[in-house]
Amino acid sequence: TMIAGVIAGQRGVEGRNNPIADKAEIMTLVVEAGGGEPYLKDMALAIRYAVDHGASVVVLPQQNSFYPESQKVWMSEAIRYAEEKGVLVIVPVHEMSRDLSESTFFPNRWMTGGKELTNLMVVASSNKEGNPSMRSNYGARELDLFAPGMDVFSTYTGDTYQTGTGVGLAAASVAGVAALIKAYYPALTGTQIRDILLESVTSRAGVEVEKGIEVNGKPTQDLFLFEDLCLSGGILNAYQAVMAADKLAK
């Protein structure tokens, strides 16, 4: 409910809710059981179902470190199918303070063993000051960007509102901006929208930030330049993304 509210809640209710793309439509597909990780078959089938029924943006559950080889093919083929149909796929990182250049999580852009998946966007959470989540996984090549996902005010069950924190809210922020772009520039593909979002971030290049890391299996902290944490070196910026989309579309 909070994720839906970030993307497409009703704007201005009691002056308290400001969704990113309030005209977007949300297709909710259940892929997780009551507990544990979702079955990869269900996730792959859900991606294909969403694509075949008009979805422009797909948001997946968190990345996972365990993908059996045969089942990894199902996910690779499903994301490639979305790429061919012009659909953006967004996946949030796990919050384990892992360096993604040393620990492999799936899905990722190179999981097919061949051509890179150009429509797959990997995101992590940042706070109101533009600092990264201490617990998020990170990688200068593997993580695309950070997006607001901490202390986010949104809709909640029972016609209420609540402040929440979670990498799913960061993924929702990215999905909302992608939906906003797609609404005004429907001809843009998922690959093009990913490129736009990467190139239009609020740059934090050169800024030194504190980040939680894992050393020999134990949590600790270190200082990083922001560009060493993610590919874009910055944070999602809706205004700059729309300006970049307008320029590309013309």
Side-chain angles (χ1 to χ4, degrees):
T1 302
M2 295 192 79
I3 287 170
V6 169
I7 299 169
Q10 185 177 345
R11 189 176 298 281
V13 177
E14 301 175 3
R16 304 174 73 189
N17 195 51
N18 290 291
I20 301 169
D22 58 328
K23 301 301 182 184
E25 295 181 337
I26 294 178
M27 182 191 304
T28 305
L29 303 178
V30 179
V31 297
E32 297 194 33
E37 301 292 340
Y39 290 114
L40 297 184
K41 181 182 74 172
D42 292 342
M43 229 177 348
L45 290 173
I47 293 170
R48 290 178 176 272
Y49 181 94
V51 172
D52 288 342
H53 289 80
S56 298
V57 182
V58 172
V59 182
L60 301 179
Q62 286 176 316
Q63 285 183 315
N64 198 301
S65 59
F66 179 66
Y67 265 39
E69 197 61 36
S70 60
Q71 297 183 28
K72 183 172 74 173
V73 173
W74 302 340
M75 285 294 291
S76 298
E77 291 179 347
I79 297 171
R80 182 74 74 195
Y81 180 68
E83 181 187 48
E84 292 168 356
K85 299 293 184 179
V87 175
L88 177 68
V89 179
I90 299 167
V91 61
V93 296
H94 227 296
E95 297 220 301
M96 300 174 71
S97 303
R98 300 274 183 87
D99 183 347
L100 293 174
S101 68
E102 298 178 359
S103 300
T104 302
F105 281 73
F106 301 98
N108 63 63
R109 294 193 302 281
W110 305 278
M111 65 188 287
T112 67
K115 179 177 173 286
E116 177 185 348
L117 293 164
T118 61
N119 65 324
L120 181 64
M121 175 153 262
V122 183
V123 305
S125 296
S126 58
N127 64 16
K128 293 176 181 178
E129 284 72 46
N131 294 318
S133 163
M134 291 293 287
R135 295 183 60 237
S136 70
N137 290 351
Y138 58 96
R141 182 169 175 257
E142 299 80 10
L143 171 63
D144 284 316
L145 52 69
F146 286 85
M150 304 170 73
D151 297 321
V152 175
F153 190 77
S154 184
T155 50
Y156 196 64
T157 54
D159 292 331
T160 61
Y161 297 86
Q162 184 168 306
T163 298
T165 293
V167 72
L169 296 173
S173 296
V174 177
V177 175
L180 184 66
I181 291 171
K182 190 72 176 180
Y184 284 97
Y185 309 100
L188 294 179
T189 66
T191 296
Q192 289 174 313
I193 292 174
R194 176 178 177 268
D195 290 341
I196 287 168
L197 294 175
L198 286 173
E199 294 164 5
S200 63
V201 293
T202 298
S203 177
R204 299 271 283 162
V207 177
E208 194 172 57
V209 293
E210 192 173 38
K211 181 77 184 67
I213 62 172
E214 189 177 86
V215 177
N216 297 325
K218 296 181 179 180
T220 184
Q221 297 175 5
D222 203 352
L223 293 174
F224 289 83
L225 292 176
F226 210 96
E227 62 266 31
D228 293 332
L229 297 176
C230 66
L231 181 63
S232 66
I235 298 167
L236 178 74
N237 186 312
Y239 175 77
Q240 291 179 181
V242 171
M243 293 298 101
D246 185 68
K247 182 178 179 180
L248 180 62
K250 287 177 178 176

